[in-house]
Amino acid sequence: MKSLLVTSLLSLAAALVVWALWASGVLASAQAVFILPRAGTSAVAAPQTSVATLLILAAGLITGLTVERAGARRALIYIGIALLLLCLSSFLASAFFKVDVVFVPVAMAACAAGLAVQVKRLRQTDMELTRNIMCAASEVNQLEGAEAGARLISGLKLLEAVLPLDEAIIFHPDANGQLVPVARTRGKSSNGKIEADRNSTWRAGLQLCERAAESGQIVTATKDAESANRQSSVASVAVPLCHEGRALGALLLRLREAFDESDRPLLSAVGAQLARSFQRDEARKEMHGKAIATFLSRRGSARRLEAFRVVSGLLTEQRFGAEVLSETSDGQAVAYLDGTIAYLNPHMLEAARIEADEAAHVDLFTLLDRFRAGVFDEPTIAVRRVLQTGNAYERELYYPDRNQTLLLRIALCFTRRASDDAEAQPICLAITVRDVTRMKELDKLKSDMISLMSHELRTPITSINGFAELLAMDDGVPAESREFLNIIVSESQRLSRMIDTFLSVTKLEAADKQEVMKIPLKLDDVVGDMVVNLQPLAKKKRIRLVQQPNGRLPPVAADKSLITQCVANLIDNAIKYSPEKTTVSVSTELEADAVRVLVEDRGYGIPPESIDRVWEKFYRVARDGQEKDAETTGLGLSFVREVIEQHGGSVALESEVGRGSKFSFTLPRL
Ligand code: ADP
């Protein structure tokens, strides 16, 4: 609305200027050309001022609005046709009706108004372009950690690491266009001796740099120098610092040895990087000033060009990120949130079995389709879950046809947050595929070996236990020996229990999810039974073991004996790791699509660094006086986690040292 008003006012103003010219008689001779008959103009009636004024203003207004609405290109056709018709009518009206339709001022008003509105539109677009490009460039500046000076020095250090460098100097043009040194480094082994002809060497170096900056090419000069006692060839190399075809200075290198031509590409690349740093520094200084009117201003345009170069430099550097991904051993792909693939690395092409020439036509779902497997049969569901929750999706997928196990991960990436309260915006999806076949094989080999050994251990332990029990029953054995025998019996039984737990954990790990026998199970009943069964153990430590009552809970599909064992392990731990006269409470609750079992104690608690590790096999929290506890194996919780994950549930733990722990697990409801 506001824009229409401005357009109307602008068009009227342009028309008014033309009207003023017409009223002052400046356009009279031009108008006479369009009047017939030429001779005897007096025969044609002079137009009424008010009608002519109206005509001129209307022509301006209509043209202005047409340009605003239809755009200059389309409006030009309409205006052209209208003017042609008006020109014709001017001839006819003057010839037959002796009327002057003021063609020239009307045509001029139309052109002036059209031009004014078009200039206004251009200015608007220009301002928007300037705003956006400045904004993009200043974002680059914010990203930049090190300032230009530090970047130059680190660039020189890098060169020092790869070249037999005696000295390196970076030159940059000053306000008069003269090259002046801005950063300098000396090679480690440089003896620092001041050469007699220092001035002439300096001049020669400077000339070399000027040549390089002018030509945009690396220029070399060789000189035979006399070192301690032998003749050797040293070289000076000038590298132009070019960005976007513009030289922003030059890098002069003095080498201890002859220049190796194979270093050329490296030097060009370092030169380009230094140039980008320079350019950014320049742009930063330029953009520091106040915002100036940019339209039709040379300074404004130069500033915009500078900002554009910053952005183009950034684009070049952004490409590095993608190239880095091709170096990882995992398959990597980046997908925009419209499902198009932004990048695929060669390993991903290989894992997805996509030919290089097909890659351009692959989108997110065609890519994920290539990884369909038993537990990943509907890629859209996985993607939807990732997009809705923001949590990564991770699955191990087995492909029997090629005997390969891949770990697939789909994660949503977010923008870096500028400040704590700024909200991170999702930007793209990162898909990673890792080949874990070999790791799986080794893992299986390890488990197989351990279970084989455990089986082998069982037989002798059974014999030891059996015979020790027999001996202990023998009345002829003296009391002291009987005591030893009882120790042998209880220890061998403990060993046997440990082996049993371990075997059940490894068996579970090897098992497929389908192998677990699932029947509808009421978790409340399981918890109730276990609370009753473990009361004697709790009483021994004078611990109050209670079950929090809960309303009706839906059943879950689970293997009763495995889940019972899990609940027993958690309650047993809660009693074991709590001091006397405390309370252990067990409860169940309904969540959105799962049932949760919670075991809460007021015991010793677990330090933060161990919270994630207690679920690992054989992990035991080192606690004063606790390490030597005979009854701990570090297997109980890993068994719980294995069973619960096999059932599609999850385990959780909250704990604070000295205050107690809250272990819980969920199972999907039926
Ligand atoms: P185990 O109890 O046989 O050592 P677990 O796997 O059951 O093995 O437990 C691992 C470790 O976690 C234990 O050594 C113990 O230190 C710690 N832990 C388990 N449950 C609790 C608990 N309720 N309170 C404090 N620490 C616990």
Side-chain angles (χ1 to χ4, degrees):
M1 202 55 212
K2 190 180 156 217
S3 163
L4 272 187
L5 192 70
V6 174
T7 305
S8 309
L9 289 176
L10 206 63
S11 317
L12 286 177
L16 267 175
V17 172
V18 177
W19 174 84
L21 290 178
W22 170 75
S24 61
V26 175
L27 305 176
S29 55
Q31 173 61 19
V33 177
F34 297 89
I35 301 290
L36 287 176
R38 209 70 35 92
T41 22
S42 55
V44 176
Q48 251 188 27
T49 319
S50 57
V51 176
T53 308
L54 220 60
L55 273 175
I56 293 170
L57 293 185
L61 191 64
I62 293 170
T63 317
L65 291 176
T66 315
V67 171
E68 174 76 37
R69 273 295 153 107
R73 193 185 298 227
R74 263 173 51 211
L76 212 60
I77 303 170
Y78 306 141
I79 296 167
I81 295 172
L83 288 184
L84 216 68
L85 291 177
L86 198 66
C87 174
L88 209 67
S89 60
S90 174
F91 286 126
L92 295 178
S94 56
F96 297 108
F97 306 106
K98 305 284 180 251
V99 175
D100 178 1
V101 294
V102 283
F103 169 69
V104 169
V106 167
M108 277 181 72
C111 293
L115 198 69
V117 172
Q118 181 63 4
V119 168
K120 182 208 117 189
R121 293 173 74 225
L122 281 178
R123 189 174 161 274
Q124 258 172 359
T125 321
D126 180 87
M127 267 165 49
E128 199 175 326
L129 171 72
T130 307
R131 218 175 13 249
N132 287 348
I133 204 161
M134 289 293 180
C135 193
S138 65
E139 263 169 30
V140 180
N141 284 343
Q142 280 164 14
L143 285 180
E144 204 96 315
E147 58 171 83
R151 289 181 66 142
L152 295 183
I153 296 293
S154 75
L156 290 182
K157 272 198 193 135
L158 183 118
L159 283 178
E160 207 178 318
V162 279
L163 295 174
L165 212 60
D166 216 10
E167 186 178 31
I169 311 166
I170 296 177
F171 288 94
H172 183 52
D174 63 4
N176 305 322
Q178 293 293 317
L179 286 180
V180 288
V182 286
R184 188 169 181 182
T185 174
R186 279 178 165 276
K188 279 189 205 72
S189 53
S190 140
N191 49 20
K193 77 176 157 57
I194 311 284
E195 293 164 38
D197 53 350
R198 186 76 197 151
N199 269 345
S200 65
T201 317
W202 182 262
R203 246 179 283 121
L206 205 58
Q207 272 169 8
L208 210 61
C209 284
E210 276 164 1
R211 267 174 50 209
E214 262 167 39
S215 63
Q217 305 285 338
I218 294 179
V219 185
T220 56
T222 345
K223 179 175 138 196
D224 286 332
E226 206 157 350
S227 63
N229 45 17
R230 65 195 160 90
Q231 283 282 115
S232 70
S233 179
V234 296
S236 293
V237 183
V239 184
L241 309 183
C242 286
H243 175 55
E244 291 258 310
R246 190 171 66 118
L248 289 126
L251 165 69
L252 180 68
L253 303 172
R254 292 191 208 285
L255 305 179
R256 284 191 303 280
E257 294 161 18
F259 176 57
D260 185 345
E261 282 298 323
S262 63
D263 286 334
R264 241 173 220 275
L266 170 77
L267 285 184
S268 301
V270 173
Q273 185 63 55
L274 291 175
R276 282 194 291 274
S277 302
F278 265 134
Q279 197 276 323
R280 254 169 234 176
D281 214 30
E282 258 178 23
R284 199 173 291 148
K285 279 183 214 135
E286 274 274 321
M287 292 191 295
H288 227 68
K290 278 216 309 267
I292 51 166
T294 57
F295 190 51
L296 296 182
S297 141
R298 197 212 62 82
R299 244 187 86 202
S301 303
R303 199 187 261 201
R304 208 161 48 211
L305 189 63
E306 226 23 58
F308 170 77
R309 286 181 180 135
V310 172
V311 177
S312 94
L314 177 73
L315 284 178
T316 310
E317 283 166 20
Q318 294 257 299
R319 275 205 302 275
F320 300 171
E323 295 313 321
V324 167
L325 287 183
S326 64
E327 278 305 308
T328 63
S329 54
D330 298 340
Q332 302 270 8
V334 178
Y336 294 134
L337 293 184
D338 61 0
T340 40
I341 295 282
Y343 176 76
L344 279 170
N345 76 349
H347 290 290
M348 180 59 98
L349 289 178
E350 205 178 301
R353 300 173 169 195
I354 296 175
E355 296 297 323
D357 51 340
E358 282 177 83
H361 312 291
V362 171
D363 69 5
L364 175 65
F365 290 109
T366 14
L367 176 71
L368 292 180
D369 270 346
R370 302 290 181 120
F371 295 105
R372 272 181 199 265
V375 287
F376 185 66
D377 56 351
E378 209 29 271
T380 38
I381 295 179
V383 171
R384 190 184 319 141
R385 200 180 311 159
V386 174
L387 290 175
Q388 280 172 348
T389 62
N391 298 332
Y393 171 95
E394 201 170 283
R395 283 285 183 284
E396 229 170 60
L397 310 175
Y398 177 63
Y399 302 92
D401 54 327
R402 41 183 149 145
N403 192 23
Q404 193 181 33
T405 310
L406 297 178
L407 182 70
L408 172 76
R409 185 181 158 87
I410 307 171
L412 190 59
C413 300
F414 292 85
T415 44
R416 242 196 302 177
R417 290 199 302 174
S419 62
D420 278 348
D421 41 314
E423 208 171 310
Q425 295 290 330
I427 40 174
C428 63
L429 285 164
I431 299 118
T432 317
V433 168
R434 175 171 298 174
D435 189 344
V436 288
T437 315
R438 183 93 189 106
M439 219 171 74
K440 286 260 122 188
E441 279 170 6
L442 290 176
D443 230 31
K444 183 161 181 312
L445 197 70
K446 189 186 78 186
S447 296
D448 285 354
M449 269 187 57
I450 295 176
S451 59
L452 187 81
M453 274 182 57
S454 310
H455 273 296
E456 293 302 309
L457 283 175
R458 253 181 169 177
T459 327
I461 287 171
T462 316
S463 309
I464 294 169
N465 187 35
F467 287 118
E469 270 180 354
L470 272 180
L471 270 178
M473 278 191 281
D474 189 343
D475 292 338
V477 175
E480 199 185 52
S481 309
R482 193 188 305 273
E483 196 185 319
F484 293 158
L485 281 170
N486 282 336
I487 294 175
I488 295 176
V489 170
S490 75
E491 287 296 287
S492 58
Q493 277 172 355
R494 189 169 80 85
L495 207 56
S496 165
R497 273 200 306 278
M498 249 172 89
I499 292 173
D500 283 350
T501 324
F502 186 71
L503 279 178
S504 42
V505 174
T506 35
K507 205 168 96 202
L508 266 176
E509 276 180 349
D512 216 3
K513 284 202 170 59
Q514 282 85 358
E515 272 182 41
V516 184
M517 268 276 292
K518 288 182 188 168
I519 51 156
L521 184 69
K522 288 196 160 173
L523 280 177
D524 263 344
D525 294 348
V526 173
V527 168
D529 289 350
M530 270 349 276
V531 168
V532 172
N533 284 356
L534 291 170
Q535 279 303 346
L537 190 71
K539 286 231 167 67
K540 233 194 243 174
K541 272 187 93 176
R542 289 196 273 171
I543 283 178
R544 213 162 70 88
L545 174 60
V546 290
Q547 180 185 8
Q548 305 282 350
N550 192 299
R552 296 187 133 257
L553 278 180
V556 295
D559 182 313
K560 185 169 181 186
S561 69
L562 290 177
I563 299 297
T564 308
Q565 189 58 49
C566 289
V567 176
N569 280 5
L570 292 185
I571 302 180
D572 187 55
N573 274 352
I575 296 172
K576 199 159 53 173
Y577 300 111
S578 293
E580 292 193 345
K581 294 188 196 153
T582 52
T583 305
V584 170
S585 74
V586 193
S587 54
T588 40
E589 56 187 46
L590 179 62
E591 290 186 352
D593 49 4
V595 179
R596 184 178 289 277
V597 176
L598 287 123
V599 179
E600 202 171 349
D601 65 54
R602 303 255 167 275
Y604 308 125
I606 297 166
E609 66 275 12
S610 300
I611 285 195
D612 286 335
R613 301 202 57 196
V614 288
W615 305 100
E616 291 172 15
K617 256 187 266 172
F618 302 114
Y619 185 81
R620 290 148 77 183
V621 180
R623 199 176 287 120
D624 289 343
Q626 206 72 51
E627 305 95 300
K628 297 184 196 78
D629 191 335
E631 274 304 319
T632 70
T633 58
L635 285 169
L637 289 179
S638 67
F639 175 84
V640 174
R641 183 172 70 171
E642 200 56 52
V643 169
I644 298 300
E645 287 183 355
Q646 288 270 352
H647 281 79
S650 63
V651 290
L653 163 62
E654 287 168 36
S655 185
E656 209 177 314
V657 174
R659 303 204 118 200
S661 318
K662 200 197 260 181
F663 281 85
S664 69
F665 66 79
T666 59
L667 286 175
R669 59 179 285 185
L670 255 184

